[in-house]
Amino acid sequence: MSTNQPQKSNEEEVDLGSLFVIIGRGFSKFFNFIGSIFKGIFHTVILFLIFIKENIKKIGIAAILGMSVGIFIELQSPKRYASELLIEPNFKSVLQLYNNVNYYNDLVQQKDTLKLQETFNLTKDESASLREFEIEPLKVDSDIINAYDELILSVDSLTLRSYDYEDFRASFTTYDYKVHKVTVIAEMSNVFDKLDDVIISSIEKNKYFNRLKELTNENLNRTDSVYKESLAQTDSLRKVYMQVLLDEAKKESNGTNIDFGGDKQTIKELELFETNRKINYDLRNLAEEKSKKYEVINVISNFQPVGYEIKGVTKNYGFLFGITGASVMIFFLLLLKLNVYLDNYKK
C-alpha cells in the first residue's frame, strides 16, 4: 500500500499540471485574439491615413469646389428664423398634436400657401415665408421613472414581475414624454406669434378631449370635496380629544386618580395627527393635479413674437457642401480602388 500512494500522488500532480497547461493555452489564445482585433483596427486606420495622404490634393479640390457652391447658395438664400413652443398635452391628446403639426408641415412642403393662409389667418407673404414645422419631445429620464412608479402603484405584485424597468424603458415611446417642443422655421422673423393659438385651439376644440377634461375635473373636484370634509371631521375629533384631555387634567388636579387609559388616549391623538397630515398631503397633490388637468394643453412657453436667426457652422451651406464634396470624392476614389482590386483578383 505504501508503494501505491506515491504513484497516485504523482498521477494527480501530472493531471493538475496538464490542466494548468490547457488553461494557460486558453488564456494565451484569448489574449492573442483580442490583440489581433486591435492590430486589425490599427492596420485599417493606417491604410485609410495612407489613402488620404495619397489623394489629399483631389479631396481638397473637391472640398473647395463644394464650399464655393455652398457659399454662393448661402449668399443667394434669404435669412431663416426659428421660434419654439413648449407644451404639455393632457388626456392622450399628444398623438393628435403630432398629426396636426405634421399636417401643417405637409402644407409647407406642398407649397399650399392658400391653405396656410386660411388655417393661420396669415397674409400671402407670411404664409409663403413658412419653411418647416417640427415637433419632438423633451426627453427627460424623470418622465420614464415617474411613469414606472405610477405603473408599480397601479398593478399587483404578481403582474409587476413581468414589468422589468429596462423593458419598460425600451417600450417608452415619443408620445409618452410629458413636454413637447414645436419648432417653426420661416423667412420672416415676425410671423410666429400668429401660429401658437391655432396649433393649441386645434386640439382644445376637439369634443372628445373636452369631454375628458370635464369628466376629469368633475372627479378631481369631487375628490377635493371629500378630502376637505374628511379634514374637517378630523379637526373636529382632534378638538374633542383635546377637550377630553383638558377635562381629565382638571380632574387629576382635584384629587389623586390613576389613569389606565392615558397611553391609549395619546395613541389616538397621534393617529388623528397622522391622518390630518396625510389628508393635507393628498390635498396638496390634488391641487397640483387640478392645475395640470385644467386645460387640454398646458402652454409652458409660447412662440416668441420675433424669431431668432438660424446661424452656426453646421447650418452653413458652405460648410455642408464642403464636407459633401470631400465625402463624394473619397467615395469615388474608393470605388476606383475597389475596381482595380477586382480586376487584379480575376487574374
Side-chain angles (χ1 to χ4, degrees), residues 247-259:
D247 291 342
E248 289 183 351
K250 290 179 180 179
K251 289 179 181 178
E252 289 177 1
S253 63
N254 294 329
T256 303
N257 295 321
I258 301 174
D259 183 12

Side-chain angles (χ1 to χ4, degrees), residues 313-328:
V313 176
T314 57
K315 305 291 184 181
N316 187 278
Y317 285 114
F319 173 79
L320 295 175
F321 275 73
I323 294 295
T324 303
S327 300
V328 170

